[in-house]
Amino acid sequence: MKKIITLTLVAAALAVSACNTVAGVGRDVSAAGDAVTGASNEARR
């Protein structure tokens, strides 16, 4: 029983950290997209 509880807690911790990692990647991709959009707009002028 202790093993199941331990594995469940470890899985929950990994899931939470993965969500934070995915959110960070999303922000990075969004920032890169904003930079490309800004450069494109400047090139048009």
Side-chain angles (χ1 to χ4, degrees):
M1 186 66 169
K2 285 184 180 180
K3 195 172 191 176
I4 292 173
I5 292 172
T6 302
L7 290 174
T8 303
L9 290 173
V10 169
L14 288 173
V16 169
S17 66
C19 288
N20 288 335
T21 302
V22 170
V25 169
R27 284 191 297 267
D28 291 344
V29 169
S30 179
D34 290 343
V36 170
T37 300
S40 174
N41 287 338
E42 287 183 19
R44 275 197 220 161
R45 295 180 194 168

